[in-house]
Amino acid sequence: MQTHEIRRRFLDHFVRAGHTEVPSASLILADPNLLFVNAGMVPFVPYFLGQQTPPFATATSVQKCVRTLDIENVGITTRHNTFFQMAGNFSFGNYFKKGAIELAWSLLTSSVEDGGYGFDPERLWVTVYLDDDEARQMWLDMGVPAERIQRRGMADNYWSMGIPGPCGPCSEIYFDRGPEYGAEGGPEADEDRYLEIWNLVFMQNERGEGRGKDNFEILGPLPKQNIDTGMGVERVAFLLQGVDNVYETDLLRPIITKAEELTGKSYGIEHADDVRFRVIADHARSAAMLIADGVNPGNDGRGYVLRRLLRRIVRSARLLGADQPVMAAFMKVVSELMSPSYPELGTDFTRIETVAVGEETAFLKTLATGTKLFDDAVAEVKTAGGARIGGAEAFTLHDTYGFPIDLTLEMAAEAGLQVDEDGFRSLMAEQRRRAKEDAQARKHAHADLTIYKEFVDRGPTEFTGFDELTSEATVLALIADGVRVPVAQAGTQVEVILDRSPLYAEAGGQIADRGTITADGLKVRVDDVQKIAKSLWVHKTTVEQGQLTEGDVVVAQADPAWRRGATQGHSGTHMVHAALRQVLGPNAVQAGSLNKPGYLRFDFNWQGALSEQQKADIEALSNDAVGADYPVNTFVTDLPKAKAMGAMALFGENYGDEVRVVEIGGPFSMELCGGTHVQHSSQIGPITLLGESSVGSGVRRVEAFVGLDSYRYLAKERALLAGVASSLKVPSDEVPGRVEQLVERLKVAEKELERTKVAAVLAQGAKFVDDAERIGSVLLVAAAAPEGVGAGDLRTLATDVKGRFGSEPAIVVLLGNADGKVPFVVTVNKAAQDLGIKAGDLVASFGPSIAGRGGGKPEMAQGSGSDPSGIAAGLTAVRARVVELAG
């Protein structure tokens, strides 16, 4: 049975049982505890917590999930996946244990002809929580014999989110794969043979603080008894497809086949190669799903996870023998495999491929840099007569430069060296420990939004701001410091909930309106408007005059000037987006935006900086659209129709069944957007591009002023140009040429000054040579350089002095004093190195005196200290050390 069919049968089974089918949420949700959705129940958390009333009593979904805690184990075992699909059925106070057990058992054991999966009930085992006699009896009633029901403790059969919130005992269903896969005795004996395929959580209690799976207090029962189940689609797939593990199923094995084609290696021959094949298959699918939901490679958070996945693919392919780029081929296979269930992988393939290939290109450059650093490390080890690269060096290559440890091991073996793997693993373990502690420290209970529940349940706030700036409204509630209050006096900061409002709540990159709430003798300043549950407007206000009371009829008004500027900024953003796509092509798609009165910034997916000509073209096209006075039309339609019309959507954003489309100039710009806009493009006013920059790998940002802010900026620039022209005594149009001439003259002068400076520094060399001290057979120069000599000149001087000693053993130690820092250079010629003297060893002798540190190779070491008062003591210390070594 193919995986797409397994998904369909699951959903159909529960829809027939009266459940509402809910589409998978994005992998990215606004949850401070989660980088990604990691369980099927995550999108339903507000319902389980009682913060929102669910729109259905029962639901079913197949939720896409990503878990990355075990990323290093992917491929090593066949049980770990980063991306997986969790099929679930949910009850919000409707049915409980009996219903969950009956529905699960019937789907698993019903025949394929009857719409089930056709599992042999004789091969199914179940577990229950230690004291859950009720669930045990229900399984007995279903015909499961007592010997195939096992009781397990809290760590195995009691579920919670890991933070205060809903929890409860669970019952798990296992499939016996047979004696060839492990020992007899059920899940308690062997969880490789007895594979968990479904977990039924009886969510009935609330947990308190604590850590781990079994170290927390159970505070008491929830208001309602809920059901949360999760069936692993991939696990069921490999069982029903008769293969040994998920990597051999219909949605992963073709990726391995493509990797075999690209590398020339075969799967199933060597374990080390199999691990790499599985890494490629798992990570390629995970990466494509993350990019589809709007994640871009970066150096922290979600972006860092994606970057790791993509780079592990490249690394694994390289170790398997690939010598050409591979990412485009893998992304194509993933798209073809997964599109039947996730159509966005096909419709958005060009962008997904561009992001993945861009990261591959960047990483291949990183590998080239890492190879050079590795070669330097090998040379240093061999020069010192060693046979092993240190764990610290291997860790630095991995952590700082992204150079994989297995490449380090392979290349070290080729060079006839070993690697201190224990040292490397120890440093990696320490890094992981810190990361886990940091992640745990960031976890906290979900924000308590229960106080808003009554108003969320009554329906969305009526937003009147598309048609008017002033609306009469009724005060539904006042909330101060998280507590509902009946009255707010002058000077009080209070959240105000109205039944209707013309003030725009922050969303879609547009910041909230500013405005007022007034009545007779009352004036309230509105500083911000935020949404709760995407539907309830919460006005953050300060009462400036009078007394605001719950139930008051008031007048809410958006600041006209603020709104005018905000609409210019938002419509201007659409102009710039459309112009970008005309200049750069369809791959330049939105990755985020911010617009406010008079200003916009727009992030988009793109590799490399824009040229001056491209920026000029984008600005010109945007302003051409402004000058064309295009009409701005808005209308509401369903999502499929909007996409069919070509409306652009923000990647990673969840849209409802009905969407609002903003159309400017017909085909020029058409986007899904809930923001406020001008009525004609000419009302945007001039658009002035301020600049373009990088905000992460594969993501660029343009910023611009619009309207009067654009005019003021241009006026300021004009005045600046006029001032420069006056100073240079040339017309304005000749300023660029004259400035270029001045810059060239300045460069020539700087070069001449540098030559003079170097000559003056080198002139000190003869004196240092004359003052050299002979210690044994070694000549030592240990001196303070002239004040103000920086690190670069210090190195030049030290190298010059060393060269003047010819073939005699010589050591040069120079300490500078520049801007409160103590740069230093130690050079040791070949004759002195032959006596066992190394530059790095000498640094350790004087470093503490100047609060400094540094390093390098045996012939040269350099660094810096922060205590100039210790220079004299440092020189004394290094002389004493040379006496020990050569005296």
Side-chain angles (χ1 to χ4, degrees), residues 463-507:
F463 177 58
T464 61
F466 289 136
D467 303 313
E468 59 189 30
L469 296 182
T470 302
S471 299
E472 187 176 85
T474 300
V475 178
L476 300 180
L478 304 174
I479 299 170
D481 297 325
V483 178
R484 192 166 172 180
V485 296
V487 177
Q489 305 289 349
T492 304
Q493 291 185 336
V494 63
E495 295 181 353
V496 181
I497 299 175
L498 304 174
D499 62 339
R500 58 204 305 267
S501 176
L503 287 98
Y504 184 80
E506 181 175 348

Side-chain angles (χ1 to χ4, degrees), residues 569-585:
H570 203 154
S571 298
T573 303
H574 286 221
M575 297 290 93
V576 171
H577 187 190
L580 271 165
R581 290 172 61 79
Q582 285 195 34
V583 173
L584 303 179

Side-chain angles (χ1 to χ4, degrees), residues 271-549:
H271 176 70
D273 286 347
D274 288 353
V275 170
R276 292 160 187 154
F277 279 119
R278 291 194 286 261
V279 166
I280 290 171
D282 174 88
H283 289 5
R285 186 169 71 159
S286 301
M289 300 302 294
L290 289 174
I291 297 170
D293 275 356
V295 181
N296 286 292
N299 292 325
D300 53 26
R302 298 182 180 106
Y304 179 68
V305 171
L306 175 59
R307 171 161 286 167
R308 280 189 73 193
L309 295 176
L310 292 170
R311 292 189 169 194
R312 280 167 62 89
I313 295 170
V314 177
R315 174 210 49 200
S316 297
R318 182 186 175 103
L319 289 172
L320 287 169
D323 57 3
Q324 296 294 323
V326 297
M327 199 63 71
F330 291 143
M331 291 298 107
K332 186 173 187 298
V333 175
V334 172
S335 175
E336 292 170 348
L337 293 171
M338 300 297 291
S339 290
S341 292
Y342 304 99
E344 63 270 22
L345 292 176
T347 57
D348 193 25
F349 175 71
T350 301
R351 185 183 67 87
I352 294 170
E353 179 188 48
T354 299
V355 172
V357 170
E359 182 62 23
E360 177 182 33
T361 302
F363 184 47
L364 290 174
K365 293 179 181 177
T366 295
L367 287 179
T369 302
T371 300
K372 172 65 169 62
L373 294 166
F374 172 84
D375 291 342
D376 290 344
V378 168
E380 186 171 338
V381 170
K382 289 188 173 181
T383 300
R388 187 168 72 165
I389 295 173
E393 286 77 8
F395 179 76
T396 299
L397 279 168
H398 168 85
D399 187 58
T400 305
Y401 298 101
F403 203 68
I405 181 60
D406 34 15
L407 272 183
T408 300
L409 292 169
E410 183 176 278
M411 292 170 63
E414 292 172 355
L417 298 176
Q418 295 179 328
V419 177
D420 178 11
E421 287 191 71
D422 290 341
F424 172 82
R425 306 289 175 197
S426 176
L427 290 168
M428 283 295 295
E430 175 64 18
Q431 183 190 62
R432 288 196 195 99
R433 182 190 64 78
R434 290 195 303 268
K436 285 184 177 181
E437 287 181 354
D438 290 345
Q440 188 65 43
R442 287 194 298 270
K443 279 193 172 186
H444 53 76
H446 288 268
D448 187 359
L449 304 177
T450 308
I451 196 166
Y452 305 107
K453 180 176 181 295
E454 172 189 344
F455 307 101
V456 172
D457 289 348
R458 67 177 286 159
T461 302
E462 179 188 352
F463 177 58
T464 61
F466 289 136
D467 303 313
E468 59 189 30
L469 296 182
T470 302
S471 299
E472 187 176 85
T474 300
V475 178
L476 300 180
L478 304 174
I479 299 170
D481 297 325
V483 178
R484 192 166 172 180
V485 296
V487 177
Q489 305 289 349
T492 304
Q493 291 185 336
V494 63
E495 295 181 353
V496 181
I497 299 175
L498 304 174
D499 62 339
R500 58 204 305 267
S501 176
L503 287 98
Y504 184 80
E506 181 175 348
Q510 180 177 336
I511 68 172
D513 278 337
R514 303 296 185 264
T516 58
I517 296 173
T518 59
D520 288 342
L522 172 71
K523 183 179 180 183
V524 179
R525 186 182 74 244
V526 180
D527 299 310
D528 191 13
V529 190
Q530 294 293 322
K531 290 182 185 179
I532 301 295
K534 297 185 178 181
S535 63
L536 180 69
W537 265 233
V538 176
H539 304 74
K540 299 179 182 295
T541 74
T542 300
V543 181
E544 295 185 331
Q545 178 182 332
Q547 173 179 288
L548 182 62
T549 304

Side-chain angles (χ1 to χ4, degrees), residues 43-59:
F44 302 106
V45 165
Y47 306 146
F48 289 128
L49 290 174
Q51 295 177 351
Q52 296 179 33
T53 300
F56 29 66
T58 58

Side-chain angles (χ1 to χ4, degrees), residues 3 119 187 346 355 410 417 440 509 512 611 720 841 859:
T3 303
F119 280 105
V355 172
E410 183 176 278
L417 298 176
Q440 188 65 43
S611 68
L720 179 62
D841 293 341
E859 67 271 19

Side-chain angles (χ1 to χ4, degrees), residues 72-146:
E72 298 290 346
N73 289 321
V74 170
I76 297 174
T77 75
T78 57
R79 295 175 56 190
H80 292 92
N81 290 117
T82 49
F83 173 84
F84 58 95
Q85 301 173 88
M86 187 61 72
N89 57 286
F90 310 92
S91 169
F92 309 102
N94 189 283
Y95 61 82
F96 198 47
K97 294 181 184 180
K98 187 173 186 296
I101 288 171
E102 290 176 348
L103 286 166
W105 190 255
S106 64
L107 176 59
L108 289 175
T109 60
S110 292
S111 68
V112 173
E113 293 76 13
D114 290 336
Y117 293 142
F119 280 105
D120 180 358
E122 299 300 316
R123 299 181 70 175
L124 295 177
W125 290 61
V126 296
T127 62
V128 297
Y129 184 55
L130 285 176
D131 63 0
D132 196 349
D133 296 332
E134 182 182 27
R136 183 177 184 276
Q137 184 59 51
M138 289 175 181
W139 283 116
L140 290 170
D141 294 342
M142 294 300 299
V144 181

Side-chain angles (χ1 to χ4, degrees), residues 564-763:
R564 182 170 57 254
T567 59
Q568 289 175 316
H570 203 154
S571 298
T573 303
H574 286 221
M575 297 290 93
V576 171
H577 187 190
L580 271 165
R581 290 172 61 79
Q582 285 195 34
V583 173
L584 303 179
N587 293 337
V589 293
Q590 184 171 356
S593 68
L594 172 71
N595 46 79
K596 59 184 181 180
Y599 168 87
L600 69 89
R601 77 177 189 217
F602 186 85
D603 298 343
F604 58 100
N605 297 313
W606 193 254
Q607 296 290 336
L610 304 187
S611 68
E612 291 301 320
Q613 186 59 54
Q614 286 172 325
K615 288 186 283 188
D617 290 345
I618 291 165
E619 186 177 75
L621 280 168
S622 300
N623 282 298
D624 285 346
V626 170
D629 196 26
Y630 289 136
V632 178
N633 300 312
T634 62
F635 57 90
V636 175
T637 185
D638 61 61
L639 185 58
K641 285 182 180 177
K643 288 186 175 180
M645 294 168 63
M648 295 291 297
L650 179 62
F651 294 100
E653 182 69 31
N654 289 323
Y655 294 96
D657 294 332
E658 288 195 335
V659 293
R660 182 170 179 262
V661 178
V662 176
E663 176 194 66
I664 307 178
F668 182 78
S669 172
M670 184 183 297
E671 300 189 31
L672 304 185
C673 180
T676 61
H677 288 272
V678 298
Q679 294 179 327
H680 289 266
S681 62
S682 61
Q683 295 171 336
I684 298 171
I687 298 174
T688 302
L689 225 59
L690 301 178
E692 180 263 350
S693 60
S694 170
V695 289
S697 177
V699 181
R700 309 295 297 183
R701 170 176 292 170
V702 292
E703 298 177 87
F705 283 138
V706 299
L708 279 176
D709 287 87
S710 177
Y711 169 77
R712 294 186 187 105
Y713 174 79
L714 293 174
K716 182 179 177 182
E717 291 290 295
R718 183 178 62 187
L720 179 62
L721 178 61
V724 173
S726 176
S727 297
L728 296 176
K729 296 181 173 57
V730 296
S732 295
D733 58 357
E734 293 182 15
V735 166
R738 179 59 62 88
V739 169
E740 187 175 347
Q741 292 174 8
L742 290 174
V743 169
E744 287 302 315
R745 289 170 59 185
L746 181 61
K747 287 180 179 178
V748 171
E750 286 177 341
K751 288 180 180 178
E752 182 60 33
L753 181 62
E754 183 64 24
R755 283 193 292 270
T756 303
K757 181 180 174 184
V758 169
V761 168
L762 294 179

